[in-house]
Amino acid sequence: MHFLLLFLSALTVSGGVAVADQEALIAGAKKEGSLVFYTSMTADQAQKVLAAFKTKYPFIQPQIFRAVGERLLTKIMTEAQAGRYEFDAVQSAESQAYFLKKKNLLLKYVSPEVKNIQKPFFDPEGYWAAVYIMPNVIAYNTLMVKRSDVPKNDDDLLNPKWKGKIAMDSTKPEWFAWKLKRMGKEKGLAYMKKLGAQEFRLYAGLSLITNLLAAGEFPLVLNTYLHNAEEIKRKGGPVDWIAQDPVFTKFQPLGIGARASHPNAAKLFADFVFSEEGQKIIASFGRVPTRRGVATKVEGLEKLNYVIDDIGAGDDFNKNYELFRAIFGTPRS
C-alpha cells in the first residue's frame, strides 16, 4: 500500500501531464540549452512564437531557419543525405510532414496538449499535429468589386467578364488536384480547361499576390489563404474574402526530428505551440488555430464547411503540378 501511494504521488497530474515526466523534460531541455526550428511561417510571426517560448523557458536559446514548401524540404533532405540532422522541430505544409514521416525523419511524440486539437488535424500514429489550418478563399479588392459580384461557385468563375482579371499562385496545384478528384477526372479536366481559358494572372507566392491585389493590379485572387487576406484587411487594406462551399483547406503540422540534437527542448516547444497560450498567439496573427476553444479575430469561421487536403496527395504532387501548368501556364517573369 505504501509503495502504491508513492507511485501515485510520482504520477501526480498537472494539466494532464505527469509532473515527473514534465520535470524530466525540463531538466533535459536545460542541459540541451538550445532549439533549432525550421519553419515556413512568416519570419516575424515565427519570431513572436519563439520569443514567447523563450520567456517561458529562458534557459533555451532558439534558432530559426525559414523557407517555404519545397525549399524547406530540399534543405532537410540534403542535410540528411550528408548525415546531418540539423532541425529539432519543423513546421511546414502537410505534404512535407507526410514525406518526412515516410522517410523516417520524424520522431513519434504525442504531446499531452494534442488531446485538445481537433481530430482531423493530428497524426493518429503520433508523428505530427497541425499548428493552424489554411482555408482557401477567393479574395477581392473592395474598391474594384462589389461583394455581391464576387464569384461564389465554379460556374461563376467561368463568366467571361473575369477573363484576364483573376490571379492565382502557379506553384500550388493542390486545389486543382483536389477538385479533379472531387469532380471525377474526366469532368474535372473538362472544367479546368474551361477555367484555364480565363487567362489567369499567374505569380509565385500568395503573399505577393495578395499584396498586388490590395494595390489594384487585379480585382480577384483564386485560392489565397484566408490569413493572407485577413492580414491586409486588419491593416485597413481594401481586401476582403468569400469562401466557396465546401472550403478546400490545407494545414501546417509541427513535428520533431527523429535525430534531433535537442529532443527535450523540441518536445517542450511542441507542448507550448499546442497549449492554449501558444494557440492564442497563432490566433493573434489572424490565422486559424487547431486547438478547440481558442477564439480568433476572423468573423464567419463558424459558418465554413472545411474539407481538408489529403495528406497523402504529396505522392502525386509532381504529376499534378505538370498537368496544372499545362492547363494554366507558367507565372509572369
Side-chain angles (χ1 to χ4, degrees):
M1 184 68 177
H2 179 65
F3 172 79
L4 179 60
L5 289 174
L6 287 175
F7 177 74
L8 292 175
S9 176
L11 290 180
T12 300
V13 173
S14 174
V17 185
V19 171
D21 291 344
Q22 182 73 0
E23 289 178 349
L25 207 59
I26 291 173
K30 282 182 177 178
K31 291 179 181 178
E32 293 164 359
S34 187
L35 170 76
V36 179
F37 179 42
Y38 284 13
T39 181
S40 61
M41 196 184 302
T42 62
D44 62 324
Q45 292 179 2
Q47 292 288 4
K48 288 177 182 176
V49 172
L50 288 174
F53 175 67
K54 184 170 172 55
T55 298
K56 190 175 183 71
Y57 301 106
F59 48 84
I60 298 175
Q61 182 60 47
Q63 302 173 51
I64 186 173
F65 172 81
R66 195 248 173 196
V68 177
E70 294 304 305
R71 284 184 55 226
L72 187 60
L73 184 61
T74 298
K75 178 176 173 60
I76 291 173
M77 295 309 301
T78 300
E79 289 172 350
Q81 288 167 7
R84 302 194 339 263
Y85 302 92
E86 304 286 345
F87 74 94
D88 297 313
V90 58
Q91 168 262 317
S92 189
E94 70 283 348
S95 54
Q96 276 87 52
Y98 172 76
F99 189 79
L100 292 174
K101 178 183 172 182
K102 280 185 66 174
K103 294 296 183 180
N104 299 314
L105 290 171
L106 294 182
L107 177 73
K108 183 174 181 177
Y109 175 63
V110 181
S111 167
E113 299 292 344
V114 165
K115 67 181 183 293
N116 300 301
I117 302 299
Q118 298 171 64
K119 190 172 183 179
F121 303 116
F122 60 86
D123 178 32
E125 295 181 4
Y127 286 90
W128 53 261
V131 179
Y132 53 84
I133 65 175
M134 303 182 300
N136 278 221
V137 299
I138 297 175
Y140 64 99
N141 185 303
T142 57
L143 300 179
M144 301 174 74
V145 185
K146 294 179 181 178
R147 186 176 183 85
S148 58
D149 291 336
V150 178
K152 296 176 180 60
N153 56 50
D154 295 336
D155 288 339
D156 288 348
L157 289 168
L158 300 179
N159 191 314
K161 73 178 181 179
W162 299 120
K163 189 169 185 176
K165 296 180 179 179
I166 308 177
M168 183 165 56
D169 189 335
S170 63
T171 68
K172 299 187 182 300
E174 293 92 344
W175 170 84
F176 168 82
W178 171 76
K179 207 72 172 175
L180 290 185
K181 185 176 181 180
R182 186 176 178 85
M183 288 183 164
K185 189 169 184 180
E186 185 176 344
K187 182 180 178 181
L189 282 175
Y191 171 77
M192 289 299 175
K193 288 175 182 177
K194 291 179 182 178
L195 191 62
Q198 289 287 62
E199 298 179 3
F200 278 73
R201 307 275 293 274
L202 301 176
Y203 300 86
L206 287 175
S207 294
L208 167 66
I209 293 174
T210 315
N211 282 318
L212 289 174
L213 173 73
E217 289 292 317
F218 33 77
L220 296 176
V221 174
L222 179 62
N223 293 333
T224 190
Y225 296 139
L226 184 150
H227 66 262
N228 290 117
E230 277 291 322
E231 183 176 14
I232 294 176
K233 180 181 176 180
R234 290 199 328 269
K235 293 177 180 177
V239 170
D240 208 342
W241 57 272
I242 282 180
Q244 291 182 289
D245 185 20
V247 186
F248 174 66
T249 304
K250 292 176 64 61
F251 53 96
Q252 290 267 324
L254 175 73
I256 296 171
R259 303 192 188 186
S261 298
H262 314 102
N264 293 292
K267 290 174 183 179
L268 278 183
F269 182 64
D271 294 348
F272 174 77
V273 170
F274 298 127
S275 71
E276 185 175 5
E277 180 183 357
Q279 289 281 285
K280 283 182 176 179
I281 295 172
I282 295 297
S284 74
F285 302 147
R287 294 184 183 271
V288 185
T290 53
R291 186 182 175 103
R292 289 186 294 271
V294 175
T296 74
K297 297 181 179 180
V298 183
E299 295 181 7
L301 283 181
E302 68 282 352
K303 299 177 182 178
L304 301 187
N305 176 23
Y306 300 121
V307 177
I308 66 170
D309 192 16
D310 177 9
I311 197 166
D315 286 333
D316 297 321
F317 182 89
N318 291 335
K319 180 180 71 175
N320 290 324
Y321 186 45
E322 292 303 317
L323 186 56
F324 173 79
R325 294 187 70 167
I327 292 174
F328 290 99
T330 56
R332 294 174 174 235
S333 57

